[in-house]
Amino acid sequence: MLTLTWHGHACFTIEAEGRRVIIDPFLTGNPAADIGLDKLPKIDAVLLSHGHGDHLGDTLAIAKRDRPTIISTFELASFCEAHGAVVHKMHLGGAREFPWGRVKLVPAFHGGAIDGDDAGRYPVTPCGLVVTMGGKTVYHTGDTSLTMEMRLLEGRIDVMLVPIGDNYTMGIEDAVRAVDFVKPQIAIPMHFNTWDVIKADPQEFRRQVGGRADVVVLQPGQSLKHS
Ligand code: NI
Ligand code: MN
């Protein structure tokens, strides 16, 4: 069993068996966040899809506060290491067992400059994250367009976290196709309504997904328990 909580935009915590990881911890400056960093409970690991500011977010502050392991692509993890974080470096296609669960990095089609890397020393390949905790597997697509690579995950995912906001990522039309590619049991929309430029109606996404998956529309601060 795992508990998945949305904190607005692309930020989720996943808890199982007393361990807690956070994905793309954008709380400070996130107009959609339900909590600030001060209310975030202790974190065992930070998982990053890419280095844009709305994903890297509070990573370095959490690194300083809780000393979690920061897990991402080699280059982005190296950037965090250079800023004093404890890191584990991985890359696309690679999986790894950690004391709290398993992570696999998968392709995402997006840009890659790291917020705060003003010299451009750490170019990054964005990724998606496949995270197994408490016996369930969650796929956080990261910021991505629709890709054929998603088909490789068909039948392997319990919960898919999928952007619907358009403009920077998939919009509803392609997000529905992505759900069709992956065939998760549950799909949760993300990366929408944070700003006007990514305004989208999650109920319209639910209607278009139809019988392909159970769409769970969370509000920031709400959780899904899945067993
Ligand atoms: Ni991005
Ligand atoms: Mn983004």
Side-chain angles (χ1 to χ4, degrees), residues 9 50 52 54-55 110 143 169 191:
H9 203 56
H50 65 296
H52 286 160
D54 58 320
H55 297 261
H110 191 60
D143 281 2
T169 66
H191 214 279

Side-chain angles (χ1 to χ4, degrees), residues 100-115:
W100 45 266
R102 181 177 192 263
V103 179
K104 183 171 184 178
L105 304 190
V106 297
F109 287 3
H110 191 60
I114 299 176
D115 191 52

Side-chain angles (χ1 to χ4, degrees), residues 28 32 61 142:
T28 303

Side-chain angles (χ1 to χ4, degrees), residues 40-105:
L40 181 72
K42 184 178 181 295
I43 296 299
D44 294 297
V46 180
L47 279 47
L48 297 173
S49 67
H50 65 296
H52 286 160
D54 58 320
H55 297 261
L56 183 64
D58 295 302
T59 295
L60 296 177
I62 297 168
K64 195 176 265 181
R65 190 190 77 174
D66 294 342
R67 304 303 289 164
T69 307
I70 314 294
I71 299 163
S72 192
T73 51
F74 191 94
E75 295 83 2
L76 182 50
S78 297
F79 170 84
C80 295
E81 186 176 44
H83 287 77
V86 178
V87 305
H88 183 86
K89 302 167 190 174
M90 300 179 63
H91 232 300
L92 299 185
R96 173 96 181 170
E97 296 281 351
F98 295 92
W100 45 266
R102 181 177 192 263
V103 179
K104 183 171 184 178
L105 304 190

